[in-house]
Amino acid sequence: MDIKALAQDAAPYVVERRHYYHQHPELTGEEKNTRDAIHRDLEALGITDIRDMVNCYGLVATIHGGKPGKTVGLRADTDALSFQEETGLPFASCEPGKMHACGHDTHIAMLLGAAKLLQEHREELRGDVRLIFQPAEEHVIGSKAMIAEGALDGVDAIFGQHVWGTLDIPYIDVTAGPRMAYSGRFTVDVIGTSSHAATPHLGADTITGAAAIINNLQQYVSRMSNPLDPVVLTIGTISGGNRYNAIANHVTMEGVTRAYFLDKHEEAMRQIVENTAEGLGMKAVLKYAHVVHPVINDDDDLTEIAQKAVVKLFGEETLCHMPAMMGSEDFANYAAEIPAVFGFIGCRDEANGMIYNNHHEKFTVNESLLPKGTALMAQFAVDYLAGNA
């Protein structure tokens, strides 16, 4: 099976489906029409084993190979972002204030393209392929819902990929080890005592208390945390106070952490928050939630299969190593359950003005990469099954 040639033949189909999904974006939790369209597309390809999720707008489908073997998963995410598109594309979003600004439209199309190839050649497959179309990635909750409804049942390994706006076309990265960071979300409530602004000594000023807590948390990142164990800690919102001439008795802050190793960060933050407030005569409470695992690619055979697939399809010069990043991806929840590989397809194309990063109102891709992503997903599935029959 010449997957590269087959993917190139399927390029018009993949591009057409990308245009459709780009024109009809749906936000997290709203992906019903997207799910229904994907369901129809899979049926049109002759795939019959399709299951819509009950508690989210995702679906799974299985291509049953002609020979016995394992089951490999291929995943695409489907939700859009609340951006007003400014690309000027002839197939721009038809939905005001909604846009596929992260490339999930291309992910859907590339997985449909891979499904087309694999379905047409299913008798050659040594096992089954589970197609996972997952909603709600932008809120990093969709994969948990999919797993809870059995999306991974019987799946032995999984592959996912993302078009990436800071990686130049035509490079592809499938590096082993840490790729994307853990994410934690937290709230800090600072409780003090009101007073007139002219008599601050009679109150406990939570505005200054909050400022001290913020500074001390940043001191933790820069001076108490191992610089070889990267940590990002950001306060994103802060609110408090009742009047311009009164000491604020309550401040609430919200923030996020990103890291790869989480054994000590939460407890260190709690000590800083509580002790800083106590030293200023007030109280502070940290509420911390673990949102998503880090994405860590399998260090053994699985990543090697993906890397060899890239070389086989596009040559050694296409394979690159992109440093791990502090962004998060809920593909991590699949990787926490079964062996997994997550790849990045470069889509920065300065020569053609495609210089905007993901999550930008002008983000788009050179569609020449669509058959490449299609081929990579299909090649990984074929090679994994062939080696694990």
Side-chain angles (χ1 to χ4, degrees):
M1 191 190 317
D2 186 345
I3 290 176
K4 184 177 180 180
L6 291 170
Q8 198 60 52
D9 290 343
Y13 170 79
V14 177
V15 169
E16 187 274 329
R17 297 322 293 152
R18 187 260 169 145
H19 289 186
Y20 171 82
Y21 289 104
H22 189 86
Q23 286 182 300
H24 300 92
E26 293 182 299
L27 304 180
T28 295
E30 301 176 359
E31 308 96 330
K32 182 181 186 304
N33 292 332
T34 300
R35 193 261 303 274
D36 293 347
I38 294 170
H39 194 127
R40 292 192 298 270
D41 284 343
L42 293 172
E43 287 182 330
L45 295 175
I47 298 170
T48 57
D49 188 352
I50 307 171
R51 179 166 65 92
D52 292 347
M53 300 291 106
V54 175
N55 295 314
C56 70
Y57 291 124
L59 77 160
V60 296
T62 303
I63 298 171
H64 297 281
K67 303 168 187 176
K70 292 193 172 185
T71 299
V72 62
L74 301 175
R75 174 268 203 170
D77 39 14
T78 65
D79 53 334
L81 289 160
S82 53
F83 282 58
Q84 182 61 45
E85 182 165 352
E86 297 181 7
T87 62
L89 293 169
F91 54 90
S93 171
C94 298
E95 303 293 332
K98 300 178 184 180
M99 176 192 175
H100 272 297
C102 198
H104 296 187
D105 54 327
T106 70
H107 302 167
I108 297 169
M110 289 187 289
L111 183 50
L112 286 171
K116 180 175 172 30
L117 271 60
L118 296 169
Q119 173 68 7
E120 291 172 351
H121 294 267
R122 60 191 179 280
E123 294 302 322
E124 302 173 45
L125 297 177
R126 295 181 176 273
D128 297 343
V129 180
R130 178 73 49 79
L131 311 171
I132 299 173
F133 291 89
Q134 176 218 302
E137 190 284 322
E138 294 295 351
H139 289 194
V140 291
I141 57 174
S143 58
K144 287 185 178 180
M146 296 291 285
I147 292 167
E149 289 201 49
L152 293 184
D153 289 356
V155 178
D156 298 289
I158 188 169
F159 177 81
Q161 61 188 16
H162 207 302
V163 294
W164 207 249
T166 61
L167 181 64
D168 287 334
I169 198 170
Y171 296 113
I172 297 175
D173 171 272
V174 279
T175 303
R179 306 310 300 135
M180 299 189 78
Y182 155 94
S183 179
R185 182 176 178 177
F186 63 90
T187 300
V188 177
D189 282 302
V190 188
I191 302 101
T193 307
S194 296
S195 177
H196 195 284
T199 57
H201 59 291
L202 300 179
D205 185 355
T206 56
I207 297 286
T208 57
I213 289 170
I214 292 170
N215 286 334
N216 287 343
L217 286 173
Q218 296 305 322
Q219 288 285 336
Y220 167 74
V221 172
S222 67
R223 287 295 174 265
M224 297 171 64
S225 176
N226 185 344
L228 299 179
D229 172 13
V231 181
V232 173
L233 191 159
T234 298
I235 304 292
T237 72
I238 181 168
S239 61
N242 298 304
R243 280 184 59 83
Y244 73 96
N245 63 347
I247 298 298
N249 66 349
H250 185 249
V251 168
T252 298
M253 302 181 285
E254 296 177 301
V256 65
T257 57
R258 300 290 170 92
Y260 280 96
F261 305 101
L262 268 286
D263 292 341
K264 59 185 184 300
H265 299 316
E266 179 185 353
E267 183 54 34
M269 289 173 61
R270 193 177 307 281
Q271 290 180 12
I272 290 169
V273 166
E274 293 177 354
N275 292 341
T276 301
E278 183 179 2
L280 295 171
M282 59 194 74
K283 180 181 178 181
V285 178
L286 172 73
K287 297 178 182 177
Y288 194 99
H290 299 273
V291 177
V292 68
H293 298 283
V295 175
I296 300 179
N297 280 348
D298 188 279
D299 280 322
D300 298 319
D301 296 340
L302 210 60
T303 300
E304 185 177 355
I305 291 170
Q307 291 173 345
K308 286 183 176 179
V310 174
V311 173
K312 182 187 301 184
L313 290 166
F314 313 117
E316 187 82 38
E317 64 276 10
T318 299
L319 194 64
C320 74
H321 169 70
M322 187 170 68
M325 64 193 76
M326 301 308 288
S328 297
E329 229 283 356
D330 80 344
F331 183 83
N333 292 317
Y334 302 120
E337 299 287 330
I338 60 174
V341 174
F342 194 69
F344 298 92
I345 299 177
C347 66
R348 180 178 171 83
D349 183 6
E350 189 171 354
N352 289 296
M354 298 174 186
I355 58 174
Y356 300 100
N357 197 7
N358 307 67
H359 290 223
H360 190 284
E361 57 271 12
K362 293 185 179 180
F363 174 79
T364 190
V365 305
N366 186 323
E367 291 182 336
S368 66
L369 64 77
L370 296 178
K372 293 178 65 176
T374 295
L376 181 55
M377 297 192 100
Q379 190 74 61
F380 178 87
V382 168
D383 291 352
Y384 174 81
L385 294 176
N388 290 277

